[in-house]
Amino acid sequence: MDTLASEKIWVAYGCAVTAAVALFIAQSVLIAVFWRAKTVFELSQPFESAILLTARAVFLWTTALASNFVPFFIVVFAAQVWAIRSLTYYILCALLIGLVMTPLFSALLPSTVAFTGPSTGVWERSLSIGPCLLLSYVAGALGFWWQAGRFIGENN
């Protein structure tokens, strides 16, 4: 795969973001259900919670798709220039991007997964959702590497 114009790379990017967001939402729901964390999910009203969760998932997906475009482009461009196909490279890049993006998502989505409560600051929310977000980024990196990253730099 020789070019950033390859459709496979952009499909893989969309799939990676979707996998990361799905894992993040699943983690949020599991934390709400099993640890009775303070979240916006009202478990006593499942229909309303499902609608609210779907709306937030769509918002989170579009935000993640847009905000991660530039870092993704840089990572893929560097991988293409130096023909890097290592899974380790993609995981390390995902962790670095996740660390940078965690405060952004904490500021944009304070009530989506406010495990520490709604009145806490961005840094407290970042520490609260950070592990879940980083795991989601790693899942996205694995998905991207599997679909396209392991072929970058090949001359097919």
Side-chain angles (χ1 to χ4, degrees), residues 108-125:
L108 287 177
L109 307 167
S111 63
T112 300
V113 230
F115 300 143
T116 56
S119 63
T120 58
V122 172
W123 293 111
E124 289 84 9
R125 286 191 305 272

Side-chain angles (χ1 to χ4, degrees), residues 45-155:
Q45 299 176 350
F47 182 72
E48 291 85 0
S49 293
I51 291 172
L52 184 62
L53 183 61
T54 302
R56 291 192 174 157
V58 169
F59 178 74
L60 181 61
W61 184 80
T62 55
T63 303
L65 199 64
S67 65
N68 289 296
F69 177 76
V70 172
F72 167 79
F73 184 82
I74 293 168
V75 167
V76 172
F77 181 76
Q80 187 177 20
V81 168
W82 292 294
I84 302 171
R85 293 187 288 271
S86 169
L87 176 59
T88 305
Y89 168 76
Y90 290 101
I91 289 175
L92 290 175
C93 289
L95 289 172
L96 179 63
I97 295 168
L99 286 172
V100 171
M101 290 295 183
T102 296
L104 171 76
F105 281 106
S106 295
L108 287 177
L109 307 167
S111 63
T112 300
V113 230
F115 300 143
T116 56
S119 63
T120 58
V122 172
W123 293 111
E124 289 84 9
R125 286 191 305 272
S126 294
L127 290 173
S128 174
I129 69 169
C132 290
L133 197 59
L134 290 177
L135 183 60
S136 299
Y137 270 88
V138 169
L142 288 170
F144 177 80
W145 175 82
W146 182 256
Q147 288 186 317
R150 60 192 176 136
F151 304 113
I152 288 180
E154 286 183 355
N155 293 323

Side-chain angles (χ1 to χ4, degrees), residues 4-24:
L4 280 167
S6 170
E7 182 180 315
K8 187 171 186 169
I9 286 180
W10 299 109
V11 169
Y13 174 61
C15 291
V17 169
T18 302
V21 169
L23 180 62
F24 186 71

